[in-house]
Amino acid sequence: MIALASDHAGFHLKEEIKKLLETRGIEFKDFGSYSDKRSDYPDFAHAASSAISRGECDRGILVCGTGVGVGIVANKHTGVRAAMCQIPEAARLSRLHNDANVLAIGGRLLNWETARTIVEVFLDTEFEGGRHIGRLDKIHKLTNL
Ligand code: RB5
């Protein structure tokens, strides 16, 4: 189950991502926004990230203008590892090395072809494990500093 969220600046890209997920038969829950009317990205990114933190969703894809704002919000949630990606290779490595469970992307930065590739790579790449596990444990211990 994928948690989706955006603000107005990410709304149209989120809608395209929904079509892609439907095509691939992947279940999702849309936490808003539900239009491109001006809105505040922390509200929607928090709702989606909380669902991941609680274990109700497995991963998330969050979209704002740049991906930066939603990524900052997501990374405040326990157990959420959000990767702000602008190229597919970053998405690939965020899965292989960081076991990123949230993809944060920018509707104002990416054309659809690049965004689609980033999303597909994020969905299709598995965590490599091994030497990266101890590093994730160290990140987890930094919660609530
Ligand atoms: C909205 O104008 C914009 O600030 C927001 O979508 C996002 O890019 C923030 O990081």
Side-chain angles (χ1 to χ4, degrees):
M1 176 66 75
I2 305 285
L4 295 177
S6 75
D7 66 356
H8 55 290
F11 173 74
H12 293 291
L13 178 51
K14 173 169 66 67
E15 295 307 297
E16 290 303 313
I17 292 168
K18 282 162 72 171
K19 287 185 217 158
L20 174 66
L21 296 179
E22 276 162 6
T23 303
R24 294 184 48 152
I26 297 172
E27 284 191 312
F28 58 83
K29 185 163 181 205
D30 185 354
F31 290 86
S33 69
Y34 303 111
S35 79
D36 59 6
K37 185 170 161 283
R38 189 174 298 158
S39 58
D40 297 332
Y41 61 85
D43 299 336
F44 308 106
H46 171 54
S49 302
S50 300
I52 296 163
S53 202
R54 289 193 299 264
E56 294 164 14
C57 292
D58 308 297
R59 291 200 212 167
I61 302 173
L62 310 183
V63 194
C64 61
T66 59
V68 174
V70 290
I72 291 171
V73 173
N75 277 320
K76 289 190 167 290
H77 295 76
T78 303
V80 171
R81 293 174 300 281
M84 304 169 206
C85 298
Q86 293 168 17
I87 58 172
E89 182 64 358
R92 193 177 75 86
L93 289 168
S94 80
R95 290 290 309 131
L96 284 174
H97 290 192
N98 313 113
D99 198 15
N101 52 9
V102 167
L103 174 66
I105 53 177
R108 289 177 176 160
L109 303 184
L110 304 174
N111 61 37
W112 170 238
E113 195 181 326
T114 304
R116 187 190 63 215
T117 305
I118 288 173
V119 168
E120 288 184 327
V121 165
F122 174 74
L123 294 173
D124 295 339
T125 308
E126 292 304 319
F127 178 48
E128 206 170 60
R131 69 188 187 281
H132 303 293
I133 292 171
R135 296 165 186 166
L136 295 190
D137 286 344
K138 289 188 179 189
I139 292 173
H140 188 65
K141 287 190 182 119
L142 296 174
T143 305
N144 295 324
L145 277 183

